Amino acid sequence: DTEVTQTPKHLVMGMTNKKSLKCEQHMGHRAMYWYKQKAKKPPELMFVYSYEKLSINESVPSRFSPECPNSSLLNLHLHALQPEDSALYLCASSRDYLRIRTATNEKLFFGSGTQLSVL
Amino acid sequence: KQEVTQIPAALSVPEGENLVLNCSFTDSAIYNLQWFRQDPGKGLTSLLLIQSSQREQTSGRLNASLDKSSGRSTLYIAASQPGDSATYLCAVRYGRGGTASKLTFGTGTRLQVTL
């Protein structure tokens, strides 16, 4: 199984809603990532979890709250979002993050993303 | 500032043609470079990863090269097919010694292979 599964595929929410994006992998990877991608732009890193601990927060606003309940799951909780937060949210995983000396550890596997629209 | 640039932004070629996509980076102290493919509204698929000590990697009709001294990587696609139509992104992980930075993505090249 070399898949990263993201749900839902599409999400429309109002600015007062609370919603969550979910990501799951069963490859035994210990690093998981959230990226945000606007149309025709490259992905931008938001968060990195390594061994279920938050390793990197790229100065993301607190209305985005990540959670890693176990080594297979990664959530992104959304609250009081703005219309400019509308984007494709991508989850990714890799075998490791801190020890990246080998190509095996480094290769990123991406999910298909959640297309988020904030009204 | 560590930047990654991809030119051209868009490319259209007839089926069967061999083509080269370019990626330039500003700092030669890279850890590795990856090439990804992205279909519209979808996630990224890793195609090839080149470590800083390597000069090229091959997978099927794809060949990626790395020249750190000139700050360039190329992705060569042989005998292009309509199914190759997608956006191709290169991503660089900079770093020295035991530490490495996050991936820095280029803006991508949108490839269309026509019948």
Side-chain angles (χ1 to χ4, degrees):
Chain A
D1 182 3
T2 58
E3 230 179 54
V4 176
T5 304
Q6 287 188 246
T7 56
K9 293 193 184 307
H10 302 276
L11 179 63
V12 179
M13 61 186 291
M15 289 189 284
T16 58
N17 292 157
K18 283 186 183 179
K19 296 286 184 183
S20 296
L21 308 184
K22 297 186 183 300
C23 175
E24 190 168 2
Q25 56 86 16
H26 295 288
M27 294 178 278
H29 289 176
R30 304 312 298 270
M32 296 187 78
Y33 312 73
W34 280 115
Y35 283 85
K36 172 183 177 179
Q37 186 178 27
K38 303 283 274 185
K40 298 187 178 180
K41 298 289 187 183
E44 298 174 359
L45 182 65
M46 300 174 73
F47 303 103
V48 180
Y49 272 82
S50 178
Y51 292 82
E52 295 96 70
K53 288 186 171 28
L54 185 63
S55 288
I56 291 182
N57 177 342
E58 288 288 306
S59 302
V60 179
S62 60
R63 58 186 184 267
F64 295 91
S65 175
E67 178 197 19
C68 190
N70 60 56
S71 60
S72 299
L73 294 174
L74 184 67
N75 299 321
L76 185 62
H77 302 299
L78 314 173
H79 175 54
L81 295 193
Q82 304 296 311
E84 59 264 29
D85 296 321
S86 298
L88 180 67
Y89 287 83
L90 295 165
C91 173
S93 71
S94 64
R95 190 166 174 175
D96 207 321
Y97 180 76
L98 299 177
R99 291 179 288 276
I100 60 166
R101 290 186 179 274
T102 68
T104 304
N105 284 353
E106 171 67 12
K107 188 172 181 179
L108 278 174
F109 292 79
F110 279 83
S112 297
T114 295
Q115 188 66 55
L116 174 67
S117 297
V118 181
L119 304 178
Chain B
K1 185 180 177 184
Q2 295 166 331
E3 295 181 344
V4 180
T5 306
Q6 291 185 249
I7 295 173
L11 180 64
S12 181
V13 300
E15 182 181 13
E17 193 163 296
N18 302 327
L19 59 102
V20 174
L21 306 181
N22 297 297
C23 174
S24 300
F25 45 93
T26 55
D27 188 340
S28 62
I30 73 168
Y31 229 85
N32 56 49
L33 184 148
Q34 290 189 70
W35 281 94
F36 293 90
R37 168 193 172 130
Q38 185 173 30
D39 293 289
K42 301 291 186 184
L44 282 69
T45 301
S46 180
L47 299 173
L48 291 164
L49 184 152
I50 310 178
Q51 298 284 66
S52 62
S53 57
Q54 298 173 322
R55 299 229 8 132
E56 66 177 341
Q57 283 285 320
T58 298
S59 176
R61 294 182 294 108
L62 305 179
N63 176 279
S65 68
L66 175 64
D67 184 343
K68 287 193 302 179
S69 62
S70 66
R72 292 186 59 200
S73 176
T74 60
L75 179 67
Y76 174 82
I77 302 177
S80 58
Q81 303 169 358
D84 295 330
S85 299
T87 295
Y88 290 80
L89 295 140
C90 71
V92 176
R93 188 183 293 279
Y94 292 101
R96 285 187 173 87
T99 61
S101 68
K102 62 180 182 180
L103 280 179
T104 300
F105 281 87
T107 49
T109 294
R110 290 190 309 281
L111 172 66
Q112 183 173 13
V113 181
T114 58
L115 292 169

